[in-house]
Amino acid sequence: YRDLHTFELQAPTRLIEWARGSRVCVAGYGQSDGNEILQLIPPPTLLTKETQGLCPERDFKVECGGFSERPVYSLKYVPDTSLLVTSGPPDSSLQVWQVSAEDSDVIKSVSPITTENGTGQSWAKIATISTRAPWVLHGSRLDRVQITEVESRKNVYTAASGGSEELRGLAFLDCNTLLLCCVTGRLCLADIRQPQSLVETVSVPLAPCSEQWCMGTRHGAQLSSQPVARLSSRGLLTLTDLRKTSEFLALAKARVPSPGSGAEFLCISWAPALEGCLAISGFDGTVHVYDTQSWDSSGREAEPIFVHKGHAFGGAGGSGDTPLVTVHTWHLQKPRTLLSAASDGSLHVWDWVQPCGK
């Protein structure tokens, strides 16, 4: 490692979100009341663009916080505002939060965004954008996707029905184009200027019906810039160019343990400041980083360029089991810096040393 910072949260978290001023937002996903939502100030070394030397202050600091009565399974900062949007069981409604001004340390709950026929639906996946106005894209199933203006609660867009498959992720590619990923790995493109259009892209490789998938898009990605990465619960990785969906751009197999009973913490993400690199987690207590630039369509096993094992060796969770990494995310400016959280409440920030000659 070049650097490693650790912070112990009061409860396990499955969310890490960058907010204003390089702040970090996290939230708990326990089933009991009183799940914390915290905004943290990162260590000073993470607030500078250049890597610094030894720094006397190496800890995160809690800047403000609040409590959610329901578990928080998804959290997104609304760009250019002081608002957060969260979702979680038992239905597909959204909760809106106001991050208080500098003279207060409270994150306050604002009125929720309810969805039609939301009762009985699984929790909503969400994405945010503020190109035109603060919007939130949300939905639990393919036929329940819509865009809501956060501040006015006005419905801006409802997607055409493309089936009732459960969603695993969704993203804005730009202010007009949406990308939806089902748990089966199916990808669909939608254009908000054409409400009745829903275009299915390339399907996934032949796989067992029980296999689950997630997707990763590069920060600020567009159709012409970065492939969409998908990860399955067996560790299969695919790269897809949305401009040419008739074939896979690359196909590889990650070196991961056999899938467990569920795949709810699967996570794949592109490095925003490191060309061709992505990270995966959710199989055990590690985070794997891969360089995809040498991948082809053979589907052979890929060798990670770095594996973060800090959570696995940091101690066991409350049940005595090895902690499971629940989420990771990349630093937006520092090329090889990542944040990761685990089921034991540990939050790590780490940066690996680039190998000589690379």
Side-chain angles (χ1 to χ4, degrees):
Y1 294 95
R2 182 186 300 276
D3 208 354
L4 172 64
H5 302 269
T6 65
F7 184 75
E8 296 302 320
L9 300 167
Q10 295 300 310
T13 178
R14 61 183 294 162
L15 310 147
I16 305 174
E17 175 74 358
W18 289 103
R20 296 182 305 169
S22 294
R23 273 29 177 188
V24 176
C25 293
V26 298
Y29 64 88
Q31 297 300 320
S32 61
D33 292 345
N35 293 284
E36 282 189 303
I37 298 177
L38 302 175
Q39 182 165 285
L40 308 176
I41 301 176
T45 55
L46 290 184
L47 299 178
T48 58
K49 291 187 177 180
E50 299 297 329
T51 301
Q52 302 295 308
L54 291 175
C55 181
E57 190 63 60
R58 296 180 58 83
D59 290 333
F60 284 85
K61 290 184 177 180
V62 177
E63 184 174 36
C64 54
F67 289 93
S68 171
E69 295 181 353
R70 60 172 68 197
V72 182
Y73 278 27
S74 186
L75 177 152
K76 292 293 180 181
Y77 165 66
V78 183
D80 303 324
T81 72
S82 57
L83 300 174
L84 300 172
V85 180
T86 65
S87 65
D91 54 40
S92 60
S93 64
L94 309 181
Q95 286 66 52
V96 182
W97 304 84
Q98 174 74 54
V99 179
S100 302
E102 295 180 359
D103 59 347
S104 174
D105 60 359
V106 178
I107 296 178
K108 299 179 180 179
S109 176
V110 187
S111 59
I113 297 175
T114 57
T115 55
E116 186 178 355
N117 298 324
T119 304
Q121 297 292 322
S122 59
W123 60 278
K125 285 64 179 179
I126 54 180
T128 55
I129 196 173
S130 63
T131 303
R132 299 174 180 172
W135 285 356
V136 56
L137 169 66
H138 56 103
S140 59
R141 295 187 176 276
L142 198 56
D143 57 356
R144 303 283 182 184
V145 176
Q146 60 188 61
I147 296 175
T148 303
E149 191 172 295
V150 178
E151 295 172 331
S152 68
R153 305 297 195 272
K154 177 184 176 182
N155 178 269
V156 177
Y157 166 83
T158 300
S161 177
S164 58
E165 294 177 63
E166 184 179 349
L167 287 174
R168 190 54 193 264
L170 34 72
F172 284 101
L173 296 182
D174 54 42
C175 62
N176 293 314
T177 313
L178 317 174
L179 182 63
L180 316 174
C181 178
C182 302
V183 292
T184 58
R186 177 186 176 193
L187 289 178
C188 292
L189 280 168
D191 191 323
I192 67 173
R193 296 165 296 187
Q194 301 173 6
Q196 297 306 311
S197 69
L198 192 63
V199 182
E200 182 178 356
T201 66
V202 64
S203 59
V204 297
L206 189 62
C209 296
S210 59
E211 194 163 359
Q212 298 185 40
W213 293 77
C214 66
M215 75 167 179
T217 58
R218 190 167 183 174
H219 183 74
Q222 295 182 346
L223 287 175
S224 59
S225 60
Q226 185 78 11
V228 174
R230 281 176 287 178
L231 169 67
S232 82
S233 52
R234 281 193 304 133
L236 194 62
L237 290 151
T238 70
L239 304 184
T240 304
D241 187 338
L242 295 178
R243 299 167 299 177
K244 188 178 180 181
T245 60
S246 59
E247 60 187 37
F248 292 113
L249 197 62
L251 189 63
K253 180 73 169 61
R255 186 179 298 176
V256 297
S258 300
S261 57
E264 61 177 326
F265 297 119
L266 283 183
C267 183
I268 182 169
S269 63
W270 285 104
L274 202 62
E275 188 64 32
C277 282
L278 57 76
I280 67 169
S281 63
F283 295 91
D284 52 19
T286 65
V287 181
H288 291 208
V289 180
Y290 293 91
D291 184 350
T292 68
Q293 295 181 90
S294 62
W295 288 6
D296 53 29
S297 57
S298 65
R300 61 188 176 189
E301 185 175 88
E303 182 75 24
I305 59 175
F306 188 78
V307 179
H308 174 59
K309 301 179 180 180
H311 296 285
F313 296 115
S319 64
D321 298 328
T322 300
L324 172 68
V325 173
T326 54
V327 69
H328 72 265
T329 189
W330 294 79
H331 194 286
L332 298 179
Q333 288 86 34
K334 294 178 178 291
R336 292 188 303 279
T337 299
L338 291 93
L339 292 81
S340 54
S343 56
D344 62 348
S346 58
L347 175 64
H348 290 184
V349 184
W350 41 279
D351 187 349
W352 76 94
V353 177
Q354 185 170 352
C356 296
K358 295 291 185 179

